[in-house]
Amino acid sequence: MATQSSNKELRPNPFMAYRDPETGKWIVVKPESGDVEVAAA
């Protein structure tokens, strides 16, 4: 079966994922605004 490539633009990912260093679990968040703020712990 042959696959066809698409010329459509990909949508930007609205989610952010990061790994909690204490638990090792992945956390997925959806920022409320377009500005992304990263807080250092």
Side-chain angles (χ1 to χ4, degrees), residues 2 9-11 16 20:
E9 292 289 326
L10 295 176
R11 292 181 291 162
M16 289 184 55
D20 187 352

Side-chain angles (χ1 to χ4, degrees), residues 13-34:
N13 186 356
F15 299 99
M16 289 184 55
Y18 62 94
R19 193 164 187 170
D20 187 352
E22 294 180 5
T23 64
K25 293 183 178 181
W26 285 97
I27 300 173
V28 179
V29 294
K30 182 173 183 180
E32 293 296 323
S33 65

